[in-house]
Amino acid sequence: MSLLEVRNLTLSFRLWSGIVDVLHGIALSIAKGERVALVGESGSGKSVTARIVLGLLQDLPGAQIGGEVRFNGRDLASLSRHEREALRGRDISMIFQDPTSSLNPVYKIAPQFREVLARRTPRITLAEARERATALLQEVAITEPARVLDSYPFQLSGGMNQRVMIAMALANRPALLLADEPGTALDVTVQAQTLDLMARLVADHGTSVLFISHNLGVVREFADRTYVIYRGRIVEAGPTQAVFEAPGHAYTRALMAAQPRLTGGALPDIVERDPRFFDPVVLHGVPGC
Amino acid sequence: MSLIGQGLQRLGTALLVLFGVSMLIFAVARVIPGDPARVALGPNATAEQVLNLRTALRLDEPIVKQYVAYMADLLRGDLGDSLYTNRPVTTDIAEFLPATLELVLVAGVLMVGIGLPLGILAARHRGRWPDHLVRVVSLLTVSAPGFVWAVVLMLIFAYGLQWLPIAGRLSDDIDLVRVTGFLTVDALLAGDWRAFLDTCRHLVLPALALALSGIGQAARLTRANMIETYDKPYIEMAQAYGFSRGRIARAWAFKPSLIPSLTIIGLDFAAMLGNAFLIEAVFGWPGISRYGVNVILRKDLNAIVGTVLIIAAMFILVNIIVDLLATWLNPRIRHAEARG
Amino acid sequence: MRRALTILTGNPLTLTGLVLVALVVLAAALADVLAPFPVHRGAVVDFVNFNKPPSSDYWMGTDLVGRDLFSRILYAYRISLILCAVVLAIAVPVGVVLGVMAGYLGGWWEYGLMRVTDVFLSIPPLVLAMSIMGVLSPTLVNGMMAVTAMWWPWYTRLVYNITRGEKAEGYVLAAEVIGATRAHIMFREILPNCVPAIVTKMTLDAGFVILIVSSLSFLGLGVQPPTPDLGSMVAEGAKYLPDSWWLSVFPGLAILIAVFGFNLIGDGLRDILGAHR
């Protein structure tokens, strides 16, 4: 049974000017321990999908969500707001694009850990939180955990903050980790290190990952399976290797062609719209259960 | 530079500014049409009496010489005598200043204690009725001068409902020994519970009238800053982690919003020093502002200069304290040297 | 510009502000026509009808010498708006020009101007106005001069801050490179970028000037009788609370309506044009 099962997910926003459809029936699934990538350009709807899984959009006025999102067999729509909130930070957690601005600038790292750990252990004290945080920081290869815990986010480098954020995300041993463009704000070498770290950790803990990105190279390294999303629709899905070596859909091919190559040559543009981009979805193999 | 260093630097600049203020006020006060000596002595004074007084006040000497003499006296702690009360100005100030300070301090507490929570409330329920209500009410409160609110409050609570006294600091039938000049403190020191309650009852309406526009301003500012903060990425992360909404409002979003608000709240607090004039007039509060109005109307030169200097000095001091507080609270500035 | 107007009128609060201010302006402009007793703006006494509560003859009651309060309030609006206009018309250009110069020219200009500004800004506005008024004879013209004299530093500080930020921008450097004169850079390049902040502040200041002037008159330092002024009317009436409540309440309400209207518009403008701190 899958950990996360999304079927026919639709999202529309009711605005003054009319109704805007953002997602047109997304389907994806993630099994336990699997690493799945959701790839697309900005505005394709990938970030929004992640936020729906977290239950963040359901309460937004004007947002109309249809379809099914099942986490551990339970349909999110059938849960009360309270129950959805209970999942966040405990069973499902998220890491964000820019680690430094995602951490609160006026609190040191230690109290921020306390808040996160309090999600599982509500009455945890700052001292206990520091102990557990120290162990967690060592897991992400931070050699001076005490110094980091007593620092403010702006005093630490981007790479350090990224590792802090990963440590926080995995602190409560979630079943599912949503990673929204992790490392995009960092320079390439640091990004590579961070991703290696993340890969190792999720393997150790058996955490499933939904990896959202527009960076194909990174996706190829990291994900077991890949979904390609274009304008709110899944256009291609399958094991990463299959999708990359034999992209079936016109959009996927255009996306791959647009990646800058080390061998030079100009950066080709992706055409804004092409009727072939609306071809039906191309599936590689059968997604396992 | 360290916080103390910054503080000292600010104090130095402040002194410079105060000098400038003293020169400005001195110049303005001395360059008047009419003769202060004659005004003070009344229309029946003889020419000789007027001349004597003018000599005593050094009114016929070059203005620069007058200024230097005044500053020399000032540095000795002598602000001259008031022609109105016939006492040293310093005595007058010592008597009237605590009343105003007590009023302003209580008003300041009200401003922060009511304004900030209202702002948080409005930001948290943005777009819904609590937000709209707070916005309209706070805009209303800043739209009328303090004396209008003083009159309204007086009409409703003192005359209408008769819950609170109309004027003054203390009821006539209560005796209190003045130690600090802060009647609340004095009452507590004397252990006189009845006097304490009486002072508090007298403080409510004037402090509220003074604080009202400050409350509105603080609420608007806090709300605006909180809303801006709510758009920041670290709030989204807090929500993604399922922190309770109350906790986000009170801790996660509030502290970063406080810092930009602080300077302006401090300015408003300092501005209350100026607006105290109006409130004291309506409520018959025997404070330095009322004294100031009287001496200005009577062209009592020494008293005018002395009063304005003291008020300006306090104003500047409050500004400095607020600036330093804002700097200290902002970890980014505080740790600028300790970059990791 | 048109877009700004559309947004302004779209927001109900700002629209209310526009309506209120429009009413006040109309009341002031058409006072001669609207006032039932236009002659009461002057020194008139009618001891038969003095101190009367609101009635069908005297919509807001009469004051202690028998003058119709409603008519006097209309004329008081006229005085207030004229005062506003004059004060801002002088203080704003002076303050803005000085601010741009201080910000762009730097050096002694900057140091000198900003210290002077500091001195003015370090005294609470009301105290400063009062002190100036205290040594001049309290007349309308003197009051206007006093308020103008203490108003310009706010604009100097505002424009100075913006100019300092803009100084390093690309378009300024470009103009310098092609040899534009300093005057051109200051007034043709930088100044237009300050306009939104200036306009927002002017709208909010219109209300604030009314507040300060009415406060001065309240203390007896501003407009003198028999000229009607909202502040002095409240002051006079305050002595006769609670019986003759209309004497202070109506002028107080009048102040509230005018300033509230200006504040609503100013707020709306600030939302549109973005805040400059």
Side-chain angles (χ1 to χ4, degrees), chain A residues 51 54 56 81 85 88-89 92-96 101-107 111-112 114-116 119 147 152 154-156 165 168-169, chain B residues 232-245 247 250-253 255-256 259 329-336 338-340:
Chain A
R51 280 159 178 76
L54 257 184
L56 281 178
R81 202 214 294 149
E85 258 173 42
R88 283 184 237 153
I92 311 180
S93 95
M94 189 157 177
I95 58 180
F96 294 85
S101 56
S102 299
L103 294 168
N104 197 316
V106 300
Y107 288 101
Q112 304 200 38
R114 199 209 77 86
E115 292 295 321
V116 171
R119 294 291 294 137
R147 183 179 79 90
Y152 289 94
F154 66 87
Q155 291 174 304
L156 305 170
M165 203 158 68
M168 282 186 185
Chain B
K232 294 264 160 95
Y234 51 87
I235 298 294
E236 190 183 25
M237 174 151 148
Q239 290 167 331
Y241 274 83
F243 295 177
S244 81
R245 265 128 39 109
R247 186 121 188 97
R250 274 165 305 156
W252 220 245
K255 196 171 166 198
I259 292 166
L329 270 181
N330 187 344
R332 206 173 283 258
I333 302 181
R334 209 191 332 158
H335 291 257
R339 257 245 153 225

Side-chain angles (χ1 to χ4, degrees), chain C residues 234-253:
Chain C
V234 176
E236 223 187 87
K239 299 185 216 131
Y240 299 94
L241 289 173
D243 306 304
S244 305
W245 55 269
W246 58 92
L247 292 176
S248 351
V249 167
F250 286 119
L253 265 179

